[in-house]
C-alpha cells in the first residue's frame, strides 16, 4: 500500500477537487447580510479566526527562504497556505491566482506553499526546487512529504487554500480553483480591519527565490519535441522560454525561433508572436499546430509564410464543468490546458489535461468538441464519452487508435478513432493512486505520472515515464511494458540504454530509427538510437540565436551580459597590455570529479566595452571535452572598464558517473589596459560541488 492510500481516507472523486468549499466555521458576516443593517460582530471579530493555527513542525525542508518560517514570526501578516502537489493540473491552475494576490498585497500577505506530494518523485526536495523554478513560484515552499501539516490542518484535497489571520488564527479554507475571486475580497477586508487596529505588519519577508538561481541554458524546461524526417526539421517546445525552436534534424543548426521569452498571447510573424508555456505540436504539411497550454489555446504556425495565428480558444481558461460537455466554434470556445496534440485525417486531436478529456478540432469547419471522457476524473474504460480520464498529457496515433498518457492515473490508454469500432481501453495502469516503477504485462505494470507517448513504425509505443525518469516501451497487443532507457534520475549519456540518465522527461517523438526526448528538468533534448539504445545529447552548433533574446534568462549574445541565474564572482583588478592578447578561463574540479565529455563547455566574453573585442567566430565558444585552461583570443585597447566572462560547465563523479552537475559562473573583471600590462587576463575558479541532502537523488 503506498503512502497516499495510508494518509488519504476520502473518495477518489475528491482528488484535485473542482467543487468549492469556503470558510468552515468562521464565515465573516457583512453588514448587508443582516436584514436590520445592524452589525452583529465587532470589527475585530468579523475577519478574525477562532482556532490557533498549528505551528509548522521543525526539521522540514524549505525552499525560497534561507531559514524555516514560523507562524509566530509572521504575526501581523495575512497568511495563505497553499496545499498542492506539483503534478496536479488544478494546483498548476491556481499559481497565477496566487501571484496576482501577492502582487496586490505585497507587504501584507504571505503565501506559503505546503507541498504534500501525491507521487513519490514529487516528495523529493530537489525535484520541488526544480518545479518551483519551472513554474516561477517565488513564495516560500515547505516540503510536507509525510503529510504532517496536511493532517494537522485536516486538508482533504488538492488544491486547498487555508487562510490565517494576522493574530495567527485560522479563518477558513477554500478547495479548488478560482482562488483569486474567492479570496481577494476576504483578504482585502481582513487587512482593512486589522490595519484599523494597528495590527498589520508590513515588514518585507526576506526571500531567496530559486528562480534567480537557474543556470543560463539555451533551452528552459522543454516540454515536448516533434521530429519531422520529411522536412528534415526538429521542433522543440522551449516551454519556459515561451517559444518554439526549429532546428535541422541532421545538423541541429537553428533555423528559426518562433515567439519570445516574455509570455503573451499575440499573433503575427515569428518575432511578434507570443506564447505562454507551449507544449505539444503536430504537423500537417507546412502548418505546425501548437498546444499553447498557458493561454488555453491552439495556435497554427504557417512555416511557409512565417506567421502565427490562433485557431481555437479565447485566451482564458474554461472553468466550469458545463464547458466540458459541449464544444462549438473554435475561436469562441474556451479551452482548459491543452497539453498535447496529434493530427490525423484533417482533424486535430487534443489531450485536454485540464478537462480530463480528449477533444477534437475539425480544421476545415473551425469547430472543437469533446471526443473522449465525461469530464470527471478517474480511470474508467468504456464508451468514448462515458469513460473517465485523469489529466491526459501526451497523445499519438497509429491511424486506428489514439494512444494517450493519462498522467494522474500513471496509465497508457487507447481510444478508437472511430467510436463505432471500439471504445476506451487501458493498456497499463490501474488507478489514480496506483503507481511505481514495475515492468511486466498488463495490470502488473506500474508507471509514475507519464507525460509523453509516441507510436513508432515498429508497432510499439515509447513512453516518457516522467517521474521515473525513464523511457519505457509498450507492446499495445500484449500489453507488455519494459524499461528501454534510463535508470535513476540525473544526466548522463550512455551506450546501452541502462547507463543513460534522464530527469523528468516530458515529451518524446520518433523519426527514422531514433527517439527524440524532451529531457525537461535537464533543459536538454536527448537522442536514443532505437537499434543500439545509445543515448546522446543534442548540442546546437551555434547557440547565439537562442541566447540573444535574454529578457528572462542569462546570456544576451556577446554585447551585454543581461540577467543571470548562476553564481557571480567579482575578481581583483587586472592590468592588460594593448594589442593582441587572450582571455583564459581555468576551471579546476575537486578530486573525484571530471568534466562531462558529452556536454559542451561554453565560454562568452561580453564586448559591450571598446577596451576588449573578440572575433564573432571565436566568441560564445561551445567545446566538448575541453582541455583546461580554455583560451580565447581577443584584442585589447587602452582604457578602463569592467569585463564580464561567463562559463557554463558540466561535470560528473569520476568513478561511477552516477551524478552530474551543470554550473554557470559569471566573472566580473575590473580591467585596465595600458602599456606594461600582461598579454593575458586569467580567470581561475575552483568548483565546489553542491552538498546534497541525505536521501536525495544520486546520493549514496
Amino acid at each position: 500500500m503506498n503512502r497516499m492510500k495510508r494518509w488519504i481516507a476520502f473518495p477518489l472523486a475528491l482528488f484535485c477537487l473542482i467543487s468549492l468549499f469556503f470558510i468552515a466555521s468562521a464565515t465573516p458576516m457583512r453588514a448587508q447580510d443582516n436584514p436590520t443593517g445592524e452589525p452583529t460582530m465587532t470589527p475585530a471579530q468579523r475577519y478574525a479566526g477562532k482556532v490557533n493555527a498549528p505551528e509548522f513542525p521543525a526539521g522540514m525542508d524549505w525552499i525560497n527562504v534561507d531559514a524555516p518560517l514560523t507562524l509566530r514570526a509572521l504575526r501581523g501578516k495575512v497568511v495563505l497556505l497553499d496545499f498542492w502537489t506539483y503534478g496536479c493540473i488544478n494546483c498548476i491552475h491556481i499559481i497565477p491566482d496566487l501571484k496576482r494576490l501577492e502582487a496586490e498585497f505585497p507587504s501584507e500577505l504571505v503565501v506559503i506553499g505546503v507541498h504534500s506530494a501525491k507521487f513519490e518523485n514529487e516528495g523529493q526536495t530537489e525535484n520541488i526546487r526544480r518545479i518551483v523554478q519551472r513554474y516561477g513560484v517565488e513564495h516560500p515552499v515547505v516540503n510536507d512529504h509525510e503529510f504532517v501539516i496536511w493532517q494537522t490542518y485536516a486538508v482533504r484535497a488538492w488544491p486547498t487554500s487555508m487562510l490565517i489571520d494576522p493574530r495567527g488564527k485560522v479563518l477558513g479554507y477554500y478547495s479548488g480553483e478560482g482562488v483569486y475571486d474567492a479570496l481577494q475580497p476576504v483578504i482585502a477586508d481582513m487587512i482593512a480591519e486589522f490595519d484599523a487596529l494597528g495590527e498589520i505588519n508590513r515588514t518585507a519577508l526576506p526571500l531567496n527565490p530559486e528562480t534567480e538561481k537557474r543556470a543560463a541554458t539555451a533551452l528552459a524546461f522543454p516540454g515536448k519535441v516533434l521530429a519531422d524526417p520529411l522536412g528534415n526539421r526538429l521542433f522543440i517546445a522551449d516551454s519556459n522560454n515561451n517559444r518554439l525552436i526549429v532546428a535541422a534534424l541532421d545538423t541541429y543548426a537553428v533555423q528559426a525561433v518562433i515567439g519570445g521569452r516574455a509570455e503573451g498571447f499575440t499573433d503575427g510573424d515569428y518575432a511578434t508572436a507570443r506564447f505562454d508555456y507551449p507544449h505539444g505540436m503536430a504537423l500537417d504539411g507546412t502548418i505546425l499546430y501548437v498546444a499553447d497550454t498557458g493561454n488555453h489555446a491552439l495556435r497554427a504556425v504557417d512555416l511557409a509564410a512565417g506567421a502565427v495565428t490562433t485557431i481555437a480558444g479565447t485566451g482564458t481558461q474554461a472553468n466550469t464543468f458545463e464547458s466540458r460537455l459541449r464544444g462549438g466554434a473554435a475561436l469562441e470556445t474556451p479551452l482548459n490546458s491543452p497539453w498535447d496534440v496529434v493530427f490525423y485525417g484533417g482533424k486535430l486531436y487534443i489531450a485536454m489535461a485540464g478537462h480530463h478529456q480528449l477533444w477534437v478540432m475539425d480544421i476545415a469547419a473551425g469547430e472543437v468538441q469533446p471526443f473522449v471522457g465525461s469530464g470527471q476524473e478517474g480511470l474508467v474504460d468504456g464508451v468514448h464519452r462515458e469513460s473517465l480520464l485523469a489529466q491526459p498529457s501526451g497523445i499519438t496515433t497509429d491511424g486506428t487508435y489514439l494512444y494517450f498518457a493519462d498522467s494522474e492515473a500513471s496509465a497508457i490508454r487507447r481510444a478508437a478513432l472511430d467510436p463505432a469500432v471500439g471504445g476506451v481501453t487501458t493498456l497499463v495502469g490501474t488507478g489514480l493512486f496506483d503507481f511505481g516503477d514495475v515492468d511486466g504485462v498488463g495490470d502488473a505494470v506500474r508507471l509514475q505520472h507519464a507525460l509523453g507517448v509516441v507510436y513508432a513504425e515498429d508497432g510499439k509505443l515509447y513512453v516518457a515515464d516522467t517521474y521515473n525518469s525513464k523511457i519505457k516501451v509498450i507492446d499495445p497487443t500484449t500489453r507488455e511494458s519494459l524499461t528501454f532507457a534510463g535508470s535513476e534520475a540525473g544526466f548522463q549519456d550512455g551506450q546501452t540504454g541502462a547507463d543513460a540518465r534522464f530527469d523528468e522527461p516530458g515529451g518524446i517523438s520518433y523519426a527514422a530509427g531514433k527517439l527524440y526526448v524532451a529531457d525537461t528538468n535537464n533543459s536538454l533534448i536527448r537522442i536514443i538510437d532505437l537499434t543500439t539504445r545509445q543515448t546522446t545529447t543534442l548540442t546546437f552548433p551555434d547557440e547565439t540565436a537562442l541566447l540573444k533574446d535574454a529578457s528572462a534568462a542569462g546570456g544576451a549574445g556577446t554585447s551585454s551580459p543581461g540577467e543571470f541565474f548562476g553564481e557571480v564572482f567579482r575578481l581583483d583588478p587586472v592590468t592588460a597590455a594593448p594589442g593582441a592578447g587572450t582571455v583564459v578561463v581555468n576551471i579546476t574540479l575537486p578530486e573525484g570529479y571530471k568534466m562531462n565529455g558529452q556536454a559542451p563547455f561554453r565560454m562568452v566574453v561580453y564586448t559591450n566595452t571598446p577596451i576588449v573585442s573578440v572575433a564573432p567566430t571565436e566568441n560564445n565558444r561551445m567545446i566538448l571535452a575541453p582541455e583546461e585552461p580554455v583560451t580565447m583570443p581577443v584584442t585589447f585597447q587602452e582604457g578602463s572598464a569592467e569585463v564580464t566572462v561567463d562559463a557554463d560547465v558540466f561535470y560528473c563523479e569520476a568513478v561511477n558517473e552516477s551524478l552530474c552537475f551543470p554550473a554557470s559562473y559569471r566573472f566580473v573583471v575590473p580591467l585596465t589596459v595600458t602599456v606594461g600590462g600582461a598579454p593575458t587576463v586569467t580567470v581561475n575558479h575552483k568548483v565546489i560541488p553542491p552538498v546534497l541532502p541525505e536521501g536525495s537523488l544520486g546520493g549514496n
Side-chain angles (χ1 to χ4, degrees):
M1 180 178 293
N2 64 52
R3 177 184 301 153
M4 295 307 306
K5 288 183 177 176
R6 294 202 307 269
W7 290 123
I8 303 173
F10 61 88
L12 295 183
L14 292 180
F15 173 71
C16 281
L17 197 63
I18 300 298
S19 302
L20 308 181
F21 302 89
F22 185 57
I23 309 302
S25 60
T27 304
M29 181 175 288
R30 303 173 186 269
Q32 62 265 32
D33 293 337
N34 183 351
T36 66
E38 299 175 0
T40 58
M41 295 183 179
T42 65
Q45 293 175 318
R46 287 169 59 197
Y47 286 94
K50 298 179 180 178
V51 179
N52 287 329
E55 190 56 85
F56 300 122
M60 291 187 165
D61 291 340
W62 286 77
I63 297 171
N64 287 337
V65 287
D66 291 325
L69 301 181
T70 66
L71 290 173
R72 177 175 293 277
L74 293 174
R75 294 290 171 84
K77 301 281 191 185
V78 176
V79 178
L80 176 60
L81 303 183
D82 169 36
F83 288 86
W84 67 305
T85 184
Y86 72 70
C88 169
I89 192 66
N90 307 104
C91 302
I92 296 171
H93 284 162
I94 74 167
I95 291 175
D97 280 2
L98 296 175
K99 291 182 179 181
R100 188 177 174 188
L101 289 170
E102 290 174 291
E104 192 166 336
F105 308 108
S107 58
E108 302 90 353
L109 173 68
V110 173
V111 176
I112 298 176
V114 182
H115 192 275
S116 306
K118 172 189 174 183
F119 293 97
E120 296 288 343
N121 187 73
E122 292 175 338
Q124 302 200 38
T125 299
E126 291 308 306
N127 291 342
I128 302 171
R129 197 181 308 279
R130 282 188 285 270
I131 211 72
V132 160
Q133 292 180 340
R134 196 189 312 179
Y135 292 154
V137 174
E138 297 189 346
H139 55 248
V141 175
V142 58
N143 184 2
D144 182 36
H145 64 94
E146 292 293 339
F147 285 77
V148 177
I149 304 175
W150 172 288
Q151 291 184 97
T152 302
Y153 281 85
V155 176
R156 299 292 301 275
W158 299 283
T160 290
S161 302
M162 193 74 61
L163 205 55
I164 300 172
D165 72 21
R167 294 176 179 170
K169 296 183 182 292
V170 177
L171 180 69
Y173 72 93
Y174 176 94
S175 289
E177 300 182 23
V179 168
Y180 179 85
D181 291 338
L183 298 189
Q184 191 277 345
V186 179
I187 293 171
D189 286 351
M190 184 190 300
I191 291 171
E193 293 199 355
F194 278 90
D195 208 15
L197 298 171
E199 297 185 29
I200 291 294
N201 173 13
R202 288 185 167 83
T203 303
L205 183 70
L207 298 174
N208 187 10
E210 292 293 327
T211 54
E212 297 181 0
K213 304 174 187 177
R214 184 173 67 80
T217 51
L219 305 177
F221 300 107
K224 299 290 184 182
V225 62
L226 176 67
D228 169 28
L230 295 179
N232 189 38
R233 293 172 294 195
L234 186 69
F235 301 97
I236 301 167
D238 192 10
S239 302
N240 269 61
N241 281 330
N242 302 300
R243 63 186 185 178
L244 309 174
I245 307 299
V246 186
L249 191 59
D250 52 357
T251 66
Y252 310 128
V254 175
Q255 297 177 343
V257 177
I258 307 172
R261 291 198 174 171
E263 64 187 46
F265 187 39
T266 306
D267 290 344
D269 60 27
Y270 288 177
T272 303
R274 291 294 179 266
F275 301 87
D276 187 354
Y277 206 50
H279 274 78
M281 299 161 289
L283 190 64
D284 175 28
T286 61
I287 303 298
L288 179 73
Y289 297 106
V290 182
D292 193 4
T293 306
N295 281 321
H296 308 283
L298 301 178
R299 317 290 291 279
V301 181
D302 188 326
L303 298 169
V308 178
T309 57
T310 301
I311 60 170
T314 62
T316 58
Q317 180 192 353
N319 54 13
T320 65
F321 191 81
E322 183 181 5
S323 64
R324 307 175 186 216
L325 303 180
R326 60 184 61 86
L331 290 172
E332 299 174 7
T333 303
L335 308 180
N336 195 342
S337 288
W339 210 273
D340 199 7
V341 289
V342 66
F343 182 85
Y344 185 79
K347 295 180 179 180
L348 193 65
Y349 295 89
I350 308 146
M352 196 77 74
H355 272 341
H356 307 297
Q357 292 175 309
L358 304 183
W359 278 47
V360 60
M361 178 177 180
D362 187 316
I363 299 296
E367 295 183 346
V368 291
Q369 62 182 341
F371 185 63
V372 175
S374 69
Q376 296 181 14
E377 185 174 24
L379 183 68
V380 177
D381 291 343
V383 177
H384 278 50
R385 291 298 306 279
E386 295 177 7
S387 62
L388 270 61
L389 278 54
Q391 200 173 314
S393 303
I395 190 169
T396 187
T397 186
D398 64 356
T400 301
Y401 294 101
L402 295 171
Y403 298 93
F404 57 98
D406 219 15
S407 304
E408 279 299 302
S410 298
I412 301 298
R413 307 173 71 183
R414 74 181 183 188
L417 280 165
D418 181 357
V421 173
V424 178
T425 58
T426 299
L427 300 180
V428 299
T430 56
L432 285 171
F433 294 94
D434 298 331
F435 54 84
D437 186 5
V438 180
D439 290 347
V441 178
D443 291 350
V445 173
R446 292 290 181 269
L447 307 176
Q448 190 178 181
H449 198 82
L451 287 174
V453 59
V454 65
Y455 180 84
E457 61 187 7
D458 62 1
K460 304 292 179 62
L461 299 171
Y462 292 87
V463 176
D465 191 4
T466 306
Y467 286 0
N468 285 324
S469 292
K470 293 182 178 180
I471 305 302
K472 303 290 179 69
V473 56
I474 297 176
D475 187 321
T477 302
T478 66
R479 300 174 63 202
E480 182 181 36
S481 175
L482 299 173
T483 299
F484 187 77
S487 54
E488 63 188 40
F491 170 71
Q492 180 174 291
D493 287 343
Q495 299 297 318
T496 65
D499 54 348
R501 304 285 185 272
F502 306 89
D503 195 342
E504 291 197 10
I508 189 167
S509 185
Y510 168 82
K514 294 181 179 179
L515 296 173
Y516 297 83
V517 179
D519 193 3
T520 305
N521 272 359
N522 280 322
S523 291
L524 294 168
I525 303 301
R526 317 291 294 280
I527 303 103
I528 307 173
D529 187 288
L530 217 59
T531 302
T532 66
R533 299 196 183 187
Q534 181 184 28
T535 300
T536 57
T537 298
L538 182 154
T539 57
F540 300 101
D542 182 1
E543 289 189 334
T544 303
L546 303 183
L547 294 166
K548 282 183 179 179
D549 179 13
S551 60
T558 56
S559 60
S560 176
E563 193 174 0
F564 184 71
F565 297 105
E567 295 184 74
V568 180
F569 300 92
R570 186 176 181 84
L571 306 186
D572 293 335
V574 175
T575 301
T582 55
V583 173
V584 175
V585 174
N586 185 30
I587 302 293
T588 304
L589 297 177
E591 185 177 356
Y593 290 86
K594 67 175 183 179
M595 288 290 184
N596 186 324
Q598 298 175 345
F601 175 97
R602 172 175 171 262
M603 176 180 172
V604 182
V605 175
Y606 292 96
T607 58
N608 58 333
T609 170
I611 72 169
V612 60
S613 58
V614 188
T617 55
E618 293 289 344
N619 210 353
N620 199 11
R621 300 184 67 185
M622 304 286 292
I623 310 171
L624 287 173
E627 294 184 2
E628 293 290 342
V630 178
T631 300
M632 182 180 292
V634 301
T635 301
F636 294 119
Q637 180 177 318
E638 289 192 4
S640 295
E642 288 188 342
V643 174
T644 300
V645 180
D646 282 1
D648 293 339
V649 182
F650 291 83
Y651 62 99
C652 304
E653 290 181 339
V655 179
N656 56 24
E657 300 182 339
S658 64
L659 191 62
C660 293
F661 299 96
S664 291
Y665 303 117
R666 169 163 289 177
F667 306 100
V668 180
V669 185
L671 177 64
T672 298
V673 179
T674 186
V675 176
T680 299
V681 172
T682 301
V683 174
N684 293 307
H685 180 71
K686 184 174 182 179
V687 173
I688 301 176
V691 178
L692 298 179
E694 185 177 354
S696 64
L697 288 179
N700 294 323

